């Protein structure tokens, strides 16, 4: 029986061309999908939490976030880079953070598959309130004015290492009575840190009698 060799060759060539075209089309599709996925990564927003604390309490740090776009089964681990310290003083700083991992229930890190934006909360140190009471002093007038710079902290307390400096005080020069008004600064290592306090006063009296 005579074989039709030419017809078989043409059939094989046509099949090879079809396979080549299919492979090329598949490669194009894969590359297109990959590029599309890369350029359109799921978008999530990490919102770090806010927190506050009083000056002198040791500072404020807050490791918490919310992300409405991530399902409950996927969790993110963040690297928190900021702490509001007492040495920074009263005020606010942003609670900066960066995602370390975003893991699914199998423990696979999906961080590279998300486009992450951040909305930072605030870390705030608030002023510390103290009440300072001046003393009461009463003497018989002898021609010499009287004053009294002693005081008592009746409410609140100072941060460890801070101290009080009396820079202004009242003087009673003649017979009569007046408020023993004093003014103080809160100091630390020779530096005025009064802005970290709300200072309230209760005044005693200075009295010279006949």
């Amino acid at each position: 029986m005579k074989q039709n060799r030419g017809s078989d060759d043409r059939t094989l060539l046509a099949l090879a061309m079809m396979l080549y075209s299919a492979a090329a089309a598949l490669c194009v599709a894969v590359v297109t999908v990959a590029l599309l996925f890369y350029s359109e990564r799921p978008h999530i927003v990490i919102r770090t939490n806010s927190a506050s604390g009083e000056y002198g309490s040791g500072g404020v740090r807050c490791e918490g976030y919310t992300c409405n776009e991530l399902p409950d089964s996927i969790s993110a681990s963040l690297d928190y880079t900021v702490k509001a310290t007492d040495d920074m003083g009263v005020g606010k700083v942003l609670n900066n953070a960066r995602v370390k991992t975003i893991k699914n229930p199998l423990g696979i890190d999906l961080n590279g598959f998300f486009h992450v934006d951040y909305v930072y909360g605030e870390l705030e140190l608030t002023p510390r309130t103290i009440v300072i009471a001046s003393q009461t002093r009463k003497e018989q007038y002898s021609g010499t004015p009287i004053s009294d710079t002693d005081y008592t902290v009746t409410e609140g307390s100072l941060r460890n290492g801070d101290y009080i400096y009396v820079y202004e005080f009242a003087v009673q020069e003649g017979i009569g009575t007046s408020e023993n008004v004093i003014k103080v600064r809160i100091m630390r290592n020779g530096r005025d840190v009064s802005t970290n306090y709300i200072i309230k006063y209760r005044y005693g009296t200075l009295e010279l009698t006949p």
Side-chain angles (χ1 to χ4, degrees), residues 49-148:
N49 293 346
S50 297
S52 64
E54 188 178 68
Y55 169 77
S57 62
V60 180
R61 185 179 177 87
C62 182
E63 298 186 357
Y65 73 93
T66 59
C67 181
N68 298 330
E69 296 79 14
L70 284 178
D72 294 339
S73 59
I74 296 179
S75 61
S77 174
L78 275 63
D79 182 19
Y80 296 87
T81 59
V82 174
K83 179 181 180 180
T85 65
D86 288 324
D87 288 337
M88 293 169 60
V90 166
K92 298 178 181 180
V93 295
L94 293 178
N95 189 14
N96 292 334
R98 280 293 179 267
V99 168
K100 293 191 294 186
T101 60
I102 300 177
K103 292 187 177 182
N104 65 11
L106 298 178
I108 298 173
D109 188 359
L110 306 175
N111 190 13
F113 293 99
F114 292 97
H115 177 81
V116 183
D117 282 337
Y118 297 89
V119 176
Y120 298 122
E122 293 180 332
L123 304 177
E124 181 180 12
L125 274 181
T126 58
R128 194 178 186 94
T129 299
I130 61 170
V131 178
I132 296 176
S134 63
Q135 301 299 308
T136 291
R137 183 175 177 182
K138 181 178 180 180
E139 292 185 9
Q140 187 175 28
Y141 183 62
S142 62
T144 303
I146 62 171
S147 61
D148 195 326

Side-chain angles (χ1 to χ4, degrees), residues 175-190:
I175 294 173
T177 303
S178 62
E179 278 191 323
N180 185 16
V181 176
I182 62 173
K183 299 296 180 185
V184 307
R185 295 189 180 101
I186 311 300
M187 308 296 291
R188 186 178 187 85
N189 298 324

